[in-house]
Amino acid sequence: MHSVLRPAWLSMLTAGALLSAPLAFAQTPWQAAHPNRAQVIQRADRLDHRIDHARLVGEIPPWRAQALHLQVARVRWQQQAVAQRHDGGLPRAQWLALNRREAAISREIAQ
């Protein structure tokens, strides 16, 4: 009897995981309305984590980590300032400019 219930339990567990997977990746209404801003903010968060990790493992000195965090903070401030001027959205040209800036910061972390 134990061996009969085990496959059924496993299949129910697998089905539940597969059905709930899309819910885990669902966007909030704000992210759906402002995908460019959400992308810039998420990338800035990842950059901050990468900077912290690089400092902790000794890849960059603390003064460099502080300077990089300041650059990321400037990107956040810029996206917020632009969004305020454009009814909460981020126009494509400004989004691309912020992406280029974040890519430059990312390259600086990797050096």
Side-chain angles (χ1 to χ4, degrees), residues 44 47-48 51 67-77 105:
L47 286 171
D48 277 332
I51 293 166
L68 290 169
H69 277 302
L70 183 60
Q71 290 179 25
V72 173
R74 284 185 185 139
V75 167
R76 284 193 173 128
W77 178 82
I105 296 168

Side-chain angles (χ1 to χ4, degrees), residues 25-36 38 88:
F25 298 112
Q27 292 183 337
T28 65
W30 183 86
Q31 288 173 324
H34 305 288
N36 293 347

Side-chain angles (χ1 to χ4, degrees), residues 23-81:
L23 297 176
F25 298 112
Q27 292 183 337
T28 65
W30 183 86
Q31 288 173 324
H34 305 288
N36 293 347
R37 283 187 70 190
Q39 187 265 337
V40 169
I41 292 168
Q42 288 171 351
R43 192 170 181 188
D45 290 341
R46 285 192 307 270
L47 286 171
D48 277 332
H49 289 301
R50 284 185 56 209
I51 293 166
D52 289 337
H53 177 73
R55 186 185 57 78
L56 285 174
V57 298
E59 292 177 358
I60 59 175
W63 62 269
R64 187 69 187 132
Q66 185 178 5
L68 290 169
H69 277 302
L70 183 60
Q71 290 179 25
V72 173
R74 284 185 185 139
V75 167
R76 284 193 173 128
W77 178 82
Q78 287 173 344
Q79 71 82 21
Q80 197 171 33

Side-chain angles (χ1 to χ4, degrees), residues 5-19:
L5 292 177
R6 191 172 193 171
W9 180 77
L10 223 62
S11 64
M12 289 178 62
L13 184 63
T14 305
L18 290 174
L19 291 175

